[in-house]
Amino acid sequence: HELPTSAQFSNFAFISDFRSIPGEIWLNPQASSYIHSLSKTNDDIRVNYTINLATIRQEPGNILKFHEDRNNNIWIVTTSGIIIKPEKKEIIQLTFSIEAITGIIEDEKGDNWISSNNKGLFKLPPFDKFRESELLNYTSENSAYKSSQITALCADLNHN
């Protein structure tokens, strides 16, 4: 794989590293469904592989964020929903879709909370225990929330 040019580097939306993939970083070009994996040995930077999310999901959308949970699963948040890379396994798409995602955090129990700009707040059990029937969705219609528009999520270092 060829290393992106310096002009291409200026176009990256974000760069992430993960404790589950030591020595490797993922680069995401702006407005793209591509992930470039890079690593460095001495002064040599190389592209390990490129992931095109369109090979996993028909319309993957553009990548917005990466989130690594405590079980080393990498949640890839896109404009079309979520795709997950379980630790040491291939990337998979979820069987359900959450659109207009604005944030994702993990709580002290390992549950993942996903906020949406138009569908409220979702609570998902840890990925390895997840069943779609356990997906909870809190909106202004079924909870005390005054709006289903959640623009941000945050948690402290203890996941509270």
Side-chain angles (χ1 to χ4, degrees):
H1 294 259
E2 204 168 296
L3 188 65
T5 65
S6 59
Q8 290 171 308
F9 274 111
S10 66
N11 228 9
F12 282 98
F14 51 88
I15 301 171
S16 295
D17 66 332
F18 307 101
R19 66 181 171 275
S20 59
I21 314 174
E24 184 176 317
I25 61 169
W26 282 9
L27 302 176
N28 169 241
Q30 286 183 337
S32 165
S33 63
Y34 286 88
I35 300 168
H36 301 286
S37 164
L38 278 68
S39 62
K40 181 180 177 190
T41 306
N42 299 324
D43 289 335
D44 182 37
I45 297 174
R46 69 182 190 99
V47 176
N48 301 316
Y49 53 88
T50 297
I51 301 167
N52 178 358
L53 296 181
T55 63
I56 297 154
R57 182 182 199 153
Q58 189 172 6
E59 294 183 27
N62 297 329
I63 298 169
L64 299 173
K65 178 180 179 119
F66 297 129
H67 164 71
E68 185 176 29
D69 67 24
R70 69 182 69 198
N71 295 318
N72 300 326
N73 302 303
I74 300 171
W75 299 63
I76 304 164
V77 178
T78 75
T79 53
S80 296
I82 298 175
I83 299 169
I84 296 181
K85 166 135 182 12
E87 183 182 27
K88 298 179 183 171
K89 294 182 183 172
E90 294 298 313
I91 294 175
I92 58 171
Q93 68 174 334
L94 296 178
T95 56
F96 63 91
S97 181
I98 301 172
E99 295 179 5
I101 296 172
T102 56
I104 181 168
I105 60 170
E106 182 179 23
D107 69 17
E108 72 280 357
K109 296 177 187 168
D111 293 326
N112 290 284
W113 292 83
I114 300 167
S115 58
S116 169
N117 200 36
N118 57 11
K119 301 283 186 192
L121 190 62
F122 294 83
K123 179 182 176 186
L124 288 77
F127 176 70
D128 59 337
K129 299 175 184 166
F130 177 72
R131 304 290 173 266
E132 192 169 338
S133 61
E134 297 175 9
L135 174 69
L136 298 176
N137 181 211
Y138 301 97
T139 66
S140 58
E141 289 84 37
N142 68 7
S143 71
Y145 295 128
K146 297 196 183 297
S147 172
S148 292
Q149 181 182 16
I150 311 294
T151 57
L153 280 177
C154 63
D156 64 21
L157 292 174
N158 295 320
H159 303 279
N160 295 312

